[in-house]
Structures are given as C-alpha cells and as structure tokens.
Amino acid sequence: MLDYLTMSEDLGELAGSYRNILRQAVYLLRSMDAEGELSTGHVSTLNMLAAGPLRVSAIARFAGIRVPSATEQVIKLEAAGLVERKPDSTDARAVLVELTGDGRKALDVANTRRTAEVAAALATLSTEERLAVRNAIPAIDKLNAALRT
Amino acid sequence: MLDYLTMSEDLGELAGSYRNILRQAVYLLRSMDAEGELSTGHVSTLNMLAAGPLRVSAIARFAGIRVPSATEQVIKLEAAGLVERKPDSTDARAVLVELTGDGRKALDVANTRRTAEVAAALATLSTEERLAVRNAIPAIDKLNAALRT
DNA sequence: AGCCTAATGTTAGACTACCTAACTATGAGC
DNA sequence: GCTCATAGTTAGGTAGTCTAACATTAGGCT
C-alpha cells in the first residue's frame, strides 16, 4: 500500500507539489521583511555567526553564494556595526567574521519577530496538520540536502 | 499525546525549523536555474499563464510583486517571444497576457527538467520519508497561505 | 632556499529583479 | 460631463547576485 510512491508518475506529482512550495517560499521570506529591521539575507548570515566566528568562504558556502557576494554582505554588516573582521591567527590570508554585541541584539530581535510570525501561522493549523508538518521536517531537510548537490 | 504541540514552546521550535526550510528554498530555486533556460521567476510567471491569459495586475497579485515589476517581466517575456499582449475587449485599460506557442514549449522544457530534478532528489528518500513529505503538503500549503496574510 | 600552484579575499563592473513615485488613459458613479 | 478609482507604463533607485582580474599567503616539490 505504500510502495505506489515509488512509481515514477507519483514521484513526478509529488515533485510538482514540492516545487510549488519552494516557489512560494521566496515570496514568504520577502513578506517577512519589516521596515527598519534586518533583511532576510542578513538574518541568515548573522544566524550562521551566532554559533561562532566564520571565514568569508565558509559564509559563502553555507549561504550558497559566491565569495565576492559574501564579502559584500560582510562589508555591509560591518558598516552597520553588527559584525567585526578579525585576522585568523592560523592563516594570514583568511578573515574571521564575528558577531558584535549589537549584532547579537539585532539578530535576537529579528529572530523573535520572524519566529513569532511563523508560530502564529502554525497556530491556525489543526493539531494533526501541525503534526504532519513536524513529522516531515527531517525528510524535507534530507530532500533539500539532496537537491543542493 | 498529540497536544503537546499546542504548547507555545514547541510551536516556537517548529516555527524555527520551518524558517530554516524557507530560507533554504531560496538557494535551492537558484541552484535549479540552468544555462540557456528560463529563470525561476519566468517559469513562475509562465506557469500562471498556462491555464489561460491573465491581466498584468493578476500576475502581480499571484506572484506577490507590484504591478510595475510584473509589467517589466511581461516586457521581457514578450521580447523573448514567449508571451503576447492583447487588449481586453471588456476593458480598454487592461492588457491580457497570453502564452505563445514558443512560450508553452519553453515552459514545458523547463518544467520537465526542474520536476525531474526534484523527483531525483525524492528518489533518494525512503518510502516512509516520501510519505511524510506527501502527507505534509496540504498542511504546508495552508501554513504558507496563513503566512501570506 | 626558492619556486610554483592553490587557496583566501577584495575590487571592479555588470546584470536581474524588485521597489516607489509620477504619469496616461479608461471606467464608473453621481 | 465631472470626479474619483482603476490598469498599466515609465523613470529612477536599490539590493543582491554574478564573473573576471587582482594581491597576498600557504604549502608542496626540487
């Protein structure tokens, strides 16, 4: 009863549905941007740095962008006082990007608001629907990782 | 056993996971763009038109963008010969945007390749994981609709 | 030691896709 | 037939990405 999903036709249908969801995500993220707060891209970058300093190349890799684009983001965040660049003592070519206190504060504000917005939307779902979403998260993570390659 | 999900703490955790997925989607879509093929944005627009002609304002609404941005996209698609603008016989202010034969062909090519790419990623999941994704699709659609407001 | 290739970032220049504001033309109500 | 609302375009600006070219440092090989 379960293996009908292995038929290519149903895989295609599911793939189409998933493509729809991916497409929507772009707009949803944009709609979550608020005036005078961090943009989606900046939130992503700062969230990576929350666990500790990263090289510019690591930021680029995790964000799925090229190194020059990451450099530019870092320059903007630095100008806003949200991150600092420090030399890497183990490699004089590298630069370590680190959150400042202000950066951590701004990130907290943005994360809190954005997560609350998603939580409010989740609250409109039934318990079963929320459970379905929750149960799918690991599979979606795996699926996204497979798509990334 | 199910209602622990209604606790706000778990809602927040789920919301965070979902935010992660949304964020990844942007990169995934970009990674699906291929040389010499339609861009993600153009595919989205053309897909709307596949069901029939639409006004510029309708395109903007469905895509979650402003009317001038939709106009710009239509101009580009028209220059590429993928859509045609026609007068709306019921309203001389309006413009109906319609797929051309070339547009439909280009859309088919792009849709086929992109869907195959997602299907290939889905094929790397286990049957249970695919089922989990499939079961979550309606809830995710509802969730995204709630976020849109 | 000295060289050569690889890796890390930055700079320069260009492109796409979005935005707001201002405009034209048409529709619809009084 | 005036007035206000609606549909779309144009103009100008911004954010975020890209490639190409460059400087600097690391690391291996002779």
Side-chain angles (χ1 to χ4, degrees):
Chain A
M1 245 337 240
L2 289 185
D3 63 350
Y4 70 95
L5 265 175
T6 60
M7 285 164 48
S8 66
E9 196 182 341
D10 281 291
L11 259 188
E13 197 181 319
L14 185 53
S17 302
Y18 195 68
R19 278 188 57 207
N20 266 327
I21 286 170
L22 288 178
R23 188 169 43 205
Q24 281 218 53
V26 179
Y27 168 61
L28 292 177
L29 280 172
R30 196 170 45 233
S31 76
M32 276 194 258
D33 280 350
E35 196 63 35
E37 208 179 70
L38 294 170
S39 73
T40 294
H42 288 173
V43 171
S44 296
T45 304
L46 295 183
N47 267 322
M48 291 178 214
L49 300 175
L54 285 178
R55 291 185 173 190
V56 172
S57 51
I59 293 173
R61 189 156 12 95
F62 295 151
I65 58 179
R66 302 292 175 181
V67 171
S69 307
T71 293
E72 197 175 316
Q73 284 211 17
V74 169
I75 289 172
K76 281 186 188 163
L77 290 171
E78 191 180 31
L82 305 179
V83 305
E84 272 177 1
R85 280 155 153 175
K86 299 192 172 175
D88 183 337
S89 55
T90 72
D91 186 340
R93 296 169 302 177
V95 171
L96 285 177
V97 183
E98 191 174 15
L99 269 187
T100 63
D102 278 1
R104 198 170 292 275
K105 275 181 217 157
L107 180 58
D108 283 347
V109 170
N111 273 337
T112 301
R113 193 188 56 73
R114 284 163 191 263
T115 299
E117 209 167 313
V118 176
L122 280 167
T124 69
L125 301 185
S126 70
T127 304
E128 290 75 20
E129 287 167 331
R130 270 195 301 277
L131 193 62
V133 172
R134 197 182 124 96
N135 284 338
I137 299 273
I140 290 175
D141 281 338
K142 191 171 163 187
L143 174 57
N144 286 349
L147 276 170
R148 249 183 120 115
T149 47
Chain B
M1 246 336 241
L2 290 185
D3 63 350
Y4 69 94
L5 266 175
T6 58
M7 286 163 49
S8 67
E9 196 182 341
D10 282 291
L11 258 189
E13 198 181 320
L14 185 53
S17 302
Y18 195 68
R19 278 188 58 206
N20 266 327
I21 286 170
L22 288 178
R23 186 170 44 201
Q24 281 218 54
V26 179
Y27 168 61
L28 293 177
L29 281 171
R30 194 169 51 231
S31 76
M32 276 195 259
D33 280 350
E35 196 62 36
E37 208 180 70
L38 294 171
S39 75
T40 294
H42 288 172
V43 170
S44 295
T45 305
L46 294 183
N47 267 323
M48 290 177 215
L49 299 174
L54 285 178
R55 292 183 174 192
V56 172
S57 51
I59 292 173
R61 189 156 13 93
F62 294 151
I65 58 179
R66 303 293 176 182
V67 171
S69 306
T71 294
E72 197 175 316
Q73 283 210 18
V74 168
I75 288 173
K76 281 185 188 164
L77 290 171
E78 191 180 32
L82 305 179
V83 304
E84 272 177 3
R85 282 156 153 174
K86 299 193 170 173
D88 183 338
S89 56
T90 71
D91 187 339
R93 296 169 301 177
V95 171
L96 285 177
V97 183
E98 191 175 15
L99 269 188
T100 63
D102 278 1
R104 198 170 292 274
K105 276 182 215 158
L107 180 59
D108 281 347
V109 169
N111 273 337
T112 301
R113 192 188 57 71
R114 283 162 191 264
T115 299
E117 209 168 314
V118 177
L122 280 167
T124 69
L125 300 186
S126 70
T127 304
E128 290 75 21
E129 286 167 333
R130 272 196 300 276
L131 192 63
V133 172
R134 197 184 124 95
N135 284 339
I137 299 274
I140 290 176
D141 281 337
K142 191 171 164 189
L143 174 57
N144 286 350
L147 276 171
R148 248 183 120 116
T149 47

